[in-house]
């Protein structure tokens, strides 16, 4: 399943990533790598983007980008 | 021996407290510029290390050192090209795992690195422990903990820098890339053969970057290597073999291995507290980013920002105005004296330039408050929250969550300024959205557009003034949003659009010194840029509105008027006791003498002080004084006569100026434009006012004032405009207001557009499309309204409805990304279906 399908409050583990190029690089730079523990914290008031908790810090990404991250709840 | 001048770079990820460390090391000794050729800010500071003078360069904050973003490229090019002796890598001690990712890349580049664990106070508060000695041992490079906010650790950091200078580098931590190592060695062997490249760049790093498929390094190779194609072939073969063996791409393997290494180091050196606590930031975000409260808090913050910077700032500007006024009168004193009819060119040009500059300086308090408040928002960590809340909304129009601030500064309601607005677009990471924002910020209602609105509303909409103000204040947003959307799906379509990935750092309480420093820095940078440009433009505009000047016959006509006035005065002089003391050549000096007394006594409320001034002037020239201040019977009589001369002088100066104006280059242009602008209802007088507004928008009101000849009379501009333009209807005024709303950026703002978009083409585009759009809208409203027989108010609300409707329609059109996403999901669907069928 992909990260954008999960609801706020859920924790998951990252499995793989289907993005490359700038998006892939950016995600990897911020610590998205297999085995990383990701918590979905909250959606923005207008649903998009979504705030995640990862490795002790918070990062927000759009659902469109979250679609590229494969996770396991 | 250590070198006497040392270049040290400061690297670090965003939100690691890098600027605090920078300020701690350098104090006030710093200056800001741009990196050559790009809009990335380059901050340089200085400090001393015993007898060595150290130049500290603040690199842009980056998570990594790839070549996907401009900041990363700039940072990397500096490390490779300028060869700093030492790099201080600032890391957020509380987020060490992520921060190490950059550290390992720096070590890989073989630059002498000091790892600075900053924010140790936060680390302690959270109950974490970092084994600094162990970390230092693993990395093979000095590790220095600091609490930069409290100024702790400064000396240790300097000592560590010193320990690295001039010493042979020991073995540092090397990432083991496992299965990729063979390929790395294979490429290293090829690269080492090149005599230039292997000396200039670390070979292992180069090989890894090539395997990563890094665009910047690929370029480097093409530029330096004699047989680049051979190397590329080898790289390609390595990448393909690796992909085949391991099943995924090299770059992914490299990044994942780096993260693995970071995690491993953290396991060995950091101990986390047992229980996980929700920190304060998390709890605050529950409200700040809440679905209902979030937007409300945002509006409240924007309201406060507006109130303080614009409303209070305006008040403050008024208080400070005497200072700029004094500057103007000082210039008036220094420059050559005024003439009766014409002033010497040096005087009129000098005063013109000074006035243009003071008009901009007048905004200084507003800018200072704005920049301070922005620094507070930035330092506190609220900015990313703002973007988080609004991104979805703005996305629909091709903008970005971070476009909010530039638009607020530009004046979403009424009374901003495009210059700081355009300046603030710097923070937007998405190139397409950034340019779209730059293009629409000048369409907001800046402070300088307001005088014209007020004149027109006063003259033509006085019965519905409140709602008209509301109309013009809000309609701009409904014009700007569709325009942003249109631009982003047309001319900006090809521009790279970055993914929205944004860190939400914990909240910090901003420090006063940090905020002030930032505000002063930006104000100073702004001043340097703007004041020089404004001065240059002022000269050009001066020439345009004063030349070719009056014809000889008109000059003679005005001189005759002057002579007649002087002769009448002299006849009166002949009947008084002053007939031997005052000649016709004294007339102008007496007038100026009177003005000088008035100027000297301006703002003097103390009676004794005023008497003293009077005494001084009387001593200087008793005869002049008697006439100017009505002393004695003769003085009184002559003063009356003098007043007539002064009135005539004012009148002929005004008439001559208006005439010069009409026949000037700008005036000719105004007439030439009439065939085009008639559809918008503008005659040549309005055209001149609009043309002169290009230098600064306040000019529109000032120019109308001088066209309708208000100076010296008690009529307000709106009254004299109404009297001067008998045929004008509210429809004319509405078209004019809308044109002003869409008016192209003024000259200083255009310069800012140029510097932020880094291209003259975008500046010209910005000027061009807004002029055309403005003309189109004004013509639509005027001609359309006339044809349909609408009143001004009907046309106003009809247009409003049209704009809101366009905004809604524009919101429906999918952005290029959404189109791609739809295509992508269709493909996945097709694939899944295909898979199922198999």
């Amino acid at each position: 399943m992909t990260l954008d399908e999960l609801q706020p409050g859920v924790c998951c583990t990252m499995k793989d990533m289907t993005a490359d190029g700038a998006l892939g690089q950016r995600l990897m730079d911020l610590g998205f790598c297999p085995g990383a523990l990701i918590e979905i914290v909250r959606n923005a008031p207008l649903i998009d983007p979504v705030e995640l908790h990862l490795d002790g810090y918070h990062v927000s990404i759009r659902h469109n980008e979250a679609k590229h991250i494969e996770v396991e709840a | 021996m250590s070198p006497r001048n040392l270049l040290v770079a400061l690297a670090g990820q965003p939100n690691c407290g890098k600027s605090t460390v920078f300020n701690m090391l350098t104090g006030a000794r710093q200056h800001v510029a741009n990196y050559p050729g790009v809009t990335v800010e380059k901050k340089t500071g200085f400090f001393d290390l015993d007898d060595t003078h150290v130049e500290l360069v603040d690199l842009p904050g980056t998570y990594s050192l790839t070549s996907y973003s401009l900041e990363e490229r700039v940072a990397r090019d500096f490390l490779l090209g300028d060869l700093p002796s030492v790099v201080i890598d600032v890391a957020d001690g509380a987020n060490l795992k992520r921060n190490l990712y950059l550290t390992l890349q720096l070590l890989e580049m073989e630059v002498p690195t000091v790892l600075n664990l900053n924010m140790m106070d936060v680390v302690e508060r959270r109950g974490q422990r970092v084994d600094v000695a162990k970390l230092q041992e693993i990395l093979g490079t000095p590790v220095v903990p600091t609490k930069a906010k409290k100024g702790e650790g400064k000396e240790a950091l300097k000592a560590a820098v010193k320990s690295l200078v001039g010493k042979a580098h020991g073995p540092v931590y090397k990432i083991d890339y496992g299965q990729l190592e063979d390929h790395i060695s294979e490429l290293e062997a090829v690269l080492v053969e090149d005599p230039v490249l292997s000396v200039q760049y670390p070979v292992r790093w180069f090989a890894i970057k090539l395997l990563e498929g890094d665009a910047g390094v690929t370029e480097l190779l093409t530029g330096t290597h004699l047989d680049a194609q051979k190397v590329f072939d080898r790289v390609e073969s390595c990448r393909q073999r690796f992909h085949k063996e391991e099943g995924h791409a090299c770059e992914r393997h490299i990044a994942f291995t780096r993260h693995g290494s970071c995690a491993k180091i953290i396991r060995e050196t950091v101990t986390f507290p047992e229980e996980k606590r929700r920190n304060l930031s998390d709890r605050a975000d529950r409200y700040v980013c809440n679905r209902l409260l979030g937007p409300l808090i945002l509006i409240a913050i924007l309201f406060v920002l507006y109130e303080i910077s614009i409303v209070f700032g305006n008040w403050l500007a008024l208080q400070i105005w005497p200072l700029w006024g004094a500057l103007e009168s000082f210039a008036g004193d220094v420059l050559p004296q005024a003439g009766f009819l014409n002033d010497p060119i040096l005087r009129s040009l000098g005063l013109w330039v000074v006035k243009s500059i003071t008009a901009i300086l007048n905004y200084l308090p507003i800018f200072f408050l704005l920049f301070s408040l922005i620094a507070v928002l930035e330092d506190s960590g609220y900015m990313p929250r703002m973007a988080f809340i609004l991104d979805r909304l703005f996305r629909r129009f091709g903008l970005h969550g971070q476009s909010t601030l530039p638009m607020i500064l530009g004046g979403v309601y009424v009374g901003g300024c495009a210059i700081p607005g355009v300046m603030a677009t710097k923070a937007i990471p998405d190139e397409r959205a950034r340019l779209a924002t730059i293009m629409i910020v000048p369409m907001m209602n800046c402070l300088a557009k307001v005088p014209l609105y007020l004149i027109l509303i006063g003259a033509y909409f006085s019965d519905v003034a409140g709602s008209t103000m509301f109309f013009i204040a809000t309609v701009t947003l409904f014009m700007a949003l569709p325009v942003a959307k249109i631009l982003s799906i047309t001319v900006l379509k090809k521009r790279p659009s970055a993914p929205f990935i944004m860190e939400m750092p914990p909240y910090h309480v901003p420090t006063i010194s940090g905020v002030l420093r930032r505000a002063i820095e930006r104000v100073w940078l702004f001043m340097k840029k703007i004041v020089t440009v404004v001065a240059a433009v002022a000269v050009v505009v001066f020439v345009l509105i004063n030349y070719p000047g009056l014809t000889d016959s008109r000059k003679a006509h005005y001189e005759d008027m002057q002579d007649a006035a002087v002769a009448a005065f002299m006849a009166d002089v002949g009947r008084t006791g002053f007939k031997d003391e005052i000649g016709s050549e004294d007339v102008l000096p007496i007038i100026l003498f009177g003005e000088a007394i008035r100027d000297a006594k301006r703002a003097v409320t103390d009676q004794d002080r005023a008497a003293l001034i009077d005494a001084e002037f009387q001593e200087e020239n008793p005869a002049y004084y008697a006439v100017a201040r009505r002393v004695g019977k003769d003085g009184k009589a002559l003063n009356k006569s003098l007043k007539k001369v002064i009135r005539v002088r004012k009148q002929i100066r005004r008439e001559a100026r208006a005439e010069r104006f009409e026949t000037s280059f700008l005036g000719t242009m105004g007439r030439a434009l009439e065939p085009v602008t008639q559809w918008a209802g503008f005659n040549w007088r309005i055209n001149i006012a609009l043309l002169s507004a290009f230098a600064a928008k306040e000019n529109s009101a000032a120019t109308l004032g001088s066209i309708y000849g208000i100076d010296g009379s008690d009529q307000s501009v709106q009254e004299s405009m109404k009297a001067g333009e008998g045929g004008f209807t509210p429809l004319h005024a509405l078209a004019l207001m809308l044109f002003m709303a869409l008016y192209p950026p003024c000259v200083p703002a255009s310069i800012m557009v140029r510097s932020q978009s880094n291209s003259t083409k975008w500046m010209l585009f910005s000027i061009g499309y807004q002029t055309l759009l403005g003309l189109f809208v004004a013509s639509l409203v005027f001609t359309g309204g006339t044809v349909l027989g609408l009143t001004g108010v009907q046309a106003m609300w009809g247009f409003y409805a049209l704009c809101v409707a366009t905004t809604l329609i524009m919101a429906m059109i999918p952005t290029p990304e959404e189109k791609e996403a739809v295509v992508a999901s269709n493909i996945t669907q097709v694939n899944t279906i295909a898979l199922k069928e198999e």
Side-chain angles (χ1 to χ4, degrees), chain A residues 17 19 21 23 25-26 28-31 34 39 42 44 46-47 49 55 57-62 65, chain B residues 64 66 72 97-98 101 252 255-256 259 278 282 286 291 388 391-392 395 499-504:
Chain A
M17 185 165 69
L23 174 60
Q25 192 68 50
R26 198 30 92 249
M28 287 190 286
D29 290 346
L30 274 156
E39 184 198 341
R42 65 173 64 79
L46 297 166
I47 316 295
D55 269 342
Y57 72 98
H58 292 253
V59 61
S60 68
I61 67 177
R62 293 191 185 124
E65 274 106 39
Chain B
S64 169
T66 58
E72 296 189 6
K97 188 174 164 196
R98 178 167 51 94
Y101 189 72
R252 195 166 298 180
F256 291 168
H259 277 300
R278 284 263 163 218
D282 286 359
R286 209 175 292 164
R291 178 162 291 182
F388 181 72
D391 182 67
R392 176 75 179 277
R395 198 68 211 151
F500 182 91
I501 304 173
M502 189 183 62
E503 197 188 338
M504 310 262 275

Side-chain angles (χ1 to χ4, degrees), chain B residues 390-407:
Chain B
L390 285 171
D391 182 67
R392 176 75 179 277
L393 184 71
F394 278 147
R395 198 68 211 151
R396 296 236 63 95
F397 298 101
L399 300 170
H400 191 276
Q402 278 160 276
S403 305
T404 325
L405 186 80
M407 285 166 67

Side-chain angles (χ1 to χ4, degrees), chain B residues 193-247:
Chain B
E193 287 168 19
D194 188 284
V196 183
L197 190 144
S198 60
V199 172
Q200 258 179 341
Y201 305 105
V203 176
R204 180 179 162 84
W205 170 81
F206 212 104
I208 294 169
K209 279 284 154 193
L210 284 175
L211 285 169
E212 254 186 338
D214 187 288
V217 172
T218 309
E219 252 169 57
L220 265 183
L221 185 77
T222 322
T224 38
H225 201 280
L226 295 173
D227 192 1
Q229 199 47 51
K230 191 183 86 186
V231 186
F232 286 139
D233 292 344
R234 190 60 79 83
V235 171
E236 211 31 58
S237 123
C238 282
R239 281 170 61 92
Q240 271 172 14
R241 269 180 289 151
F242 183 82
H243 200 118
K244 223 171 170 182
E245 289 158 19
E246 300 299 322

Side-chain angles (χ1 to χ4, degrees), chain B residues 432-541:
Chain B
R432 189 190 303 158
R434 200 173 74 89
L435 272 170
T437 313
I438 292 177
M439 291 297 133
I440 61 155
V441 164
M443 286 169 57
M444 301 292 112
N445 282 314
C446 77
L447 209 56
K449 290 179 183 176
V450 178
L452 182 74
Y453 294 161
L454 291 179
I455 290 176
L456 293 172
I457 290 176
Y460 299 98
F461 291 98
S462 50
D463 46 338
V464 283
S467 60
T468 311
M469 204 61 207
F470 172 81
F471 161 80
I472 198 69
T474 50
V475 78
T476 45
L477 190 65
F478 294 113
M479 294 195 282
L481 288 179
V483 166
K485 181 61 168 274
I486 292 170
L487 290 177
S488 72
I489 55 178
T490 54
V491 281
L492 296 172
K493 200 167 141 197
K494 293 264 160 61
R495 290 270 146 178
S497 171
F500 182 91
I501 304 173
M502 189 183 62
E503 197 188 338
M504 310 262 275
Y507 292 102
H508 284 288
V509 180
T511 60
I512 293 175
S513 67
V515 167
L516 284 183
R517 188 192 299 272
R518 193 99 61 98
I520 291 169
E521 229 169 53
R522 286 185 182 160
V523 166
W524 179 240
L525 203 67
F526 164 80
M527 296 258 295
K528 269 201 299 196
K529 271 189 189 147
I530 299 307
V531 170
T532 44
V533 171
V534 166
V537 169
V539 174
V540 174
V541 173

Side-chain angles (χ1 to χ4, degrees), chain A residues 2-25:
Chain A
T2 53
L3 190 58
D4 63 310
E5 295 167 27
L6 297 176
Q7 291 301 311
V10 178
C11 273
C12 60
T13 315
M14 180 171 159
K15 269 170 58 193
D16 202 1
M17 185 165 69
T18 51
D20 44 16
L23 174 60
Q25 192 68 50

